[in-house]
Amino acid sequence: MNRQFETIAIREQLERSQFMEHTTPLYMTSSFIFEDDEDMRASFAEEKQRNIYSRFTNPNTEELVHKVCALEGAESGVAFATGMGAVFSTFAALLKSGDHIVSARAVFGSTHAMFTKFLPKWQIETTYFDVEKPETIADCIRPETKMIYAETPTNPGVSLLDLEALAAIAKKHNLILVIDNCFATPYLQQPLAFGADLVIHSATKLMDGQGRVLGGLTVGKKDLIRDIYLFARNTGPAMSPFNAWVLSKSLETLAVRVDRHCENALALAQFLESHPQVNWTKYPFLPSHPQYTIAKKQMKKGGNIISFEVKGGLEAGRKFLNAIKMCSLSANLGDSRTIVTHPASTTHSKLSKDDRQAVGITDGMIRLSVGLEHVDDIQNDLQQALATL
Ligand SMILES: *Cc1c(COP(=O)(O)O)cnc(C)c1O
């Protein structure tokens, strides 16, 4: 039977135990037992699909991985303790010394640190392209290039990359295309369907959506996942059964939550766009977004992240943040609580102004991670803060 997204997110679950529980229980066990020597031998030889030790697999992580694979249209996947565990393990498993990555310049901060601080220790270099100029990607490719890496929408600039076009380049040059799909979730965008090879998630964000647990996943092509799984199984960045259990429950409500996130975000983007204290507003499903046609092609809705620029530069940005009453000032995003950040004075303050500009961060730019509070209450908070400028 061909099940819809919402149904998979709820009904994809482990077989019931002898207790006939309705929802999947938590299997807090570090290891599993064997019938006899032959059972143990066959299990280690992987002649049997079964749990051995929770660093390898656990019923709760298996349920979560199966569910996310079904939602992303992936053959196979691995769960990790954090999103960065997924990012690092993917690089470490698939790349070797001398390999080269082509990446979007605007990527998550710790991913950027991996490219600049850690991968070079193993002679793995990265060349960046500007998301606004995807036509330059081909020029970045070298004979030793192995992978194209990108996020769409980007953080915090909310720019988009055309997934189909990226996949065509990757295919032409025989490269592995890896997409961090954290901002969109599989509910809004399924990169594998556009030709990506692997999808990475920080499950910490919208997947949990309630700011409770950390988690990460890499899903996609079976042969690539096999190498990532073996790396993870032996090096130990496993997701805890508890976090997997929480995340599998979270996914049951992903569609209804993300629908409301997007509904609130679109209304607030329209409000901000027409506000006299705001220079510009960027949201994928506003017709004024420079890549609106790409958004419509590859995303179901616009997501929950808005960027906008207040009039008055750095000082106005800081003043706006200080005037916020209800929304949270926090480094997280994709929470049920609306979060406001001012990247130029906080998360990206260590970058030079030029480097900030290159990833779309202006002095007065505000990033809004729209939550699930009543939209009028969020709007009132933004309105009173804008009125102080
Ligand atoms: C948060 C985030 C990560 C890292 O995830 P953690 O769970 O915090 O390790 C990676 N990519 C993107 C786009 C993120 O927003």
Side-chain angles (χ1 to χ4, degrees), residues 42-297:
S43 302
F44 272 88
E46 295 187 69
E47 289 163 17
K48 287 182 179 177
Q49 276 271 332
R50 54 107 77 212
N51 296 295
I52 298 175
Y53 189 62
S54 288
R55 167 151 51 78
F56 309 172
T57 60
N58 167 281
N60 293 113
T61 54
E62 283 294 279
E63 177 179 287
L64 177 68
V65 167
H66 283 151
K67 195 182 274 192
V68 173
C69 285
L71 297 177
E72 285 283 6
E75 291 171 345
S76 182
V78 188
F80 298 91
T82 67
M84 288 322 298
V87 173
F88 177 68
S89 300
T90 301
F91 294 150
L94 302 180
L95 301 173
K96 63 179 189 322
S97 176
D99 285 345
H100 175 248
I101 305 170
V102 172
S103 170
R105 193 181 301 282
V107 288
F108 186 69
S110 296
T111 305
H112 196 262
M114 200 103 55
F115 292 148
T116 54
K117 293 197 173 79
F118 302 110
L119 294 183
K121 296 208 303 186
W122 299 290
Q123 288 76 48
I124 297 167
E125 280 184 41
T126 306
T127 303
Y128 306 102
F129 64 89
D130 290 319
V131 283
E132 317 298 344
K133 296 182 198 135
E135 67 280 4
T136 61
I137 297 173
D139 298 336
C140 302
I141 296 171
R142 305 178 191 167
E144 59 273 24
T145 306
K146 206 64 181 290
M147 180 184 284
I148 300 181
Y149 189 92
E151 300 168 8
T152 180
T154 62
N155 176 32
V158 201
S159 292
L160 305 181
L161 278 161
D162 186 330
L163 289 169
E164 202 176 2
L166 271 183
I169 297 170
K171 193 161 183 207
K172 185 173 163 204
H173 297 271
N174 200 22
L175 308 174
I176 303 167
L177 177 61
V178 183
I179 300 293
D180 180 333
N181 200 30
C182 164
F183 273 37
T185 82
Y187 180 60
L188 299 179
Q189 172 176 285
Q190 294 159 349
L192 300 174
F194 290 97
D197 299 297
L198 293 172
V199 163
I200 290 183
H201 278 287
S202 166
T204 315
K205 313 296 168 52
L206 283 168
M207 273 199 182
D208 175 40
Q210 289 140 92
R212 299 171 296 190
V213 297
L214 296 164
L217 293 114
T218 303
V219 302
K221 293 228 169 88
K222 208 159 48 182
D223 53 337
L224 299 173
I225 290 294
R226 173 76 186 157
D227 290 342
I228 299 168
Y229 166 71
L230 289 176
F231 177 83
R233 168 177 166 143
N234 289 295
T235 57
M239 178 184 281
S240 92
F242 177 74
N243 285 12
W245 178 81
V246 170
L247 287 165
S248 187
K249 302 273 178 248
S250 306
L251 284 175
E252 294 184 16
T253 57
L254 183 74
V256 285
R257 285 188 286 108
V258 172
D259 272 338
R260 181 61 70 85
H261 275 293
C262 294
E263 191 185 307
N264 284 356
L266 182 60
L268 292 168
Q270 286 161 344
F271 159 74
L272 290 165
E273 189 165 49
S274 62
H275 196 286
Q277 282 304 114
V278 174
N279 279 333
W280 51 257
T281 304
K282 238 171 127 187
Y283 180 70
F285 267 42
L286 280 183
S288 59
H289 191 287
Q291 294 136 328
Y292 180 64
T293 46
I294 297 175
K296 285 282 183 179
K297 180 171 98 172

